[in-house]
Amino acid sequence: MTGASIALVVILFALLLSATPIAVALGLTSFVYFFYFTLIPLTQVPERLFNSLNTFPLMAIPFFVLAASIMSRGGISRRLIAACNAVVGQFRGGLAMTGVLSCMFFAAISGSSPATVVAVGTLIIPAMVASGYGKRFSTGLITTSGSLGILIPPSIPLIVYGIATEESIGDLFIAGLLPGLVAGLMLLGLVLVVSRRRGYGSGAHAITLTRAERIRAVRDALLSLALPALVLGGIYGGIFTPTEAAAMAVFYAVIVSVFVYRELDLRALGAILLTSARTSAMIMFIIANGILFSFVLTSERIPGEITELLLGYELNKWTFLLLVNILLLVAGCFMETSSAILILAPILLPIALELGVDPIHLGIVMVMNLEIGMVTPPLGLNLFVASGMSGMSVLQVARAAVPTALVLLAALFLVTYVPAISLAFLGGG
């Protein structure tokens, strides 16, 4: 590595260890590189920051963030939960199953893990506790199930990976569908086992809905259930690009919430737009600085040097994927998802290609690792969201999420070493 490369690494880690926000650390490190180690004028830095965001696919992120906010406030998420409860509520552990299924449905619209935890957890966690489920189990389950929001398409991290690696976002969405379903089904299996052992959802706490009540709940949620079908069907059917599908999700959510359900006043849209804009700006600031830092890495040939170093150890692709999992599980504990992807994807992708790992499969593996990072301390974002809703401390939520996080870990290794799960719908594997 050159002196410039070593200096960049030292500066970046020094900033991160000083608790500097990751986006700022990436930006400052890149600024130092441009100022001291290149002849590129500093006037190009703002231009590069702007151009990094001036791409059509990135427009999907603010639209999906806005759609999630409207759904939470407009009655769509509540009806989705009621419909899931009508389908599985009568089974042992039915309310917990409702929570998992609701997270999967909401994830298929929002693309955001914290938004999924808030939208579903606000309603489900108190209901589960009132129905005799342990508070630790309830909170841990929804905290982990909400992380499916960054795997089941549409997914904001998959959009970021597609931008960072120039892979097809549509293909990444298709590849994420089956792994997301596998992870969700494994969580449902855990719910069934735990509920049988602890007697959850039985006796006086069993959910008893008449046939008419179940039909009414599903019927009332038909417009809500149509939203995931609109988003995913439009993308997979070639009708919409992911960005256009995100815009359609916002339009549909507004029409249904304001004019059909009438649970959202047009005057309330201003506050929703402001909140969504703040969230989107935060994400975009991270992405802009991450892409700028990726340019710096490429300019210094750091990915190429790391590739040559690792290939010198004669790794096969399975050993490489094991190392990727270990690296990303650790990184997920300390780094925000988009930042981790923007920093690590340009480094890992050349090695993966040399070893014959499909880049789409690598993207799914990366996101599944960082999905687990959403529920691991010290920086697991879902832990903070769930802590605020449940009144438990972040450490208590982290402990409560251990069993369900282990299920996601098992799903990760299954998907890692059976590439067909990711690539089946793409005709690969």
Side-chain angles (χ1 to χ4, degrees), residues 77-91 94-106 120 124 207 209 214 217-218 221 225:
S77 58
R78 178 169 55 80
R79 285 173 170 82
L80 284 173
I81 292 171
C84 292
N85 197 39
V87 174
V88 299
Q90 70 273 23
F91 299 119
L95 192 56
M97 292 183 181
T98 296
V100 176
L101 287 176
S102 299
C103 287
M104 294 171 70
F105 271 109
F106 197 86
V120 177
I124 281 289
I207 297 175
L209 296 176
R214 289 200 296 269
V218 173
L225 293 168

Side-chain angles (χ1 to χ4, degrees), residues 150-151 155 157-162 165 167 171-173 175-176 179 321 324 328 337 341 345 348-349 352 357-371 412 415 422-423:
I150 69 169
L151 177 60
S155 159
L158 286 178
I159 295 173
V160 174
Y161 178 85
T165 61
E167 295 296 327
D171 285 351
L172 287 164
F173 280 4
L321 286 172
V324 167
L328 289 171
T337 304
I341 292 172
L348 296 175
L349 183 62
V357 178
D358 190 285
I360 299 293
H361 178 56
L362 177 67
I364 301 303
V365 170
M366 287 191 70
V367 170
M368 288 192 75
N369 274 284
L370 298 172
E371 174 185 52
L412 164 66
V415 171
S422 300
L423 306 176

Side-chain angles (χ1 to χ4, degrees), residues 131-166:
S131 298
Y133 292 82
K135 187 175 183 179
R136 285 170 53 91
F137 174 74
S138 305
T139 305
L141 178 67
I142 300 303
T143 301
T144 304
S145 299
S147 67
L148 295 174
I150 69 169
L151 177 60
I152 296 177
S155 159
I156 291 174
L158 286 178
I159 295 173
V160 174
Y161 178 85
I163 296 294
T165 61
E166 300 183 355

Side-chain angles (χ1 to χ4, degrees), residues 8 11 15 20 22-33 289 292:
L8 289 174
I11 292 169
L15 289 170
T20 303
I22 290 178
V24 176
L26 293 173
L28 285 176
T29 304
S30 302
F31 181 85
V32 169
Y33 175 77
N289 285 287
L292 184 65

Side-chain angles (χ1 to χ4, degrees), residues 115-251:
T116 302
V117 174
V118 171
V120 177
T122 302
L123 298 173
I124 281 289
I125 292 176
M128 289 180 66
V129 173
S131 298
Y133 292 82
K135 187 175 183 179
R136 285 170 53 91
F137 174 74
S138 305
T139 305
L141 178 67
I142 300 303
T143 301
T144 304
S145 299
S147 67
L148 295 174
I150 69 169
L151 177 60
I152 296 177
S155 159
I156 291 174
L158 286 178
I159 295 173
V160 174
Y161 178 85
I163 296 294
T165 61
E166 300 183 355
E167 295 296 327
S168 165
I169 294 174
D171 285 351
L172 287 164
F173 280 4
I174 294 172
L177 184 59
L178 192 54
L181 293 175
V182 168
L185 289 173
M186 291 176 70
L187 286 171
L188 287 173
L190 175 69
V191 166
L192 185 61
V193 171
V194 172
S195 297
R196 287 189 178 278
R197 287 184 176 178
R198 301 182 184 178
Y200 292 152
S202 60
H205 295 298
I207 297 175
T208 54
L209 296 176
T210 65
R211 178 182 176 85
E213 288 173 331
R214 289 200 296 269
I215 292 174
R216 189 182 308 115
V218 173
R219 185 186 61 209
D220 289 346
L222 284 178
L223 289 175
S224 301
L225 293 168
L227 188 45
L230 172 70
V231 172
L232 299 180
I235 293 172
Y236 301 153
I239 302 171
F240 309 134
T241 65
T243 303
E244 291 164 346
M248 285 299 299
V250 172
F251 177 75

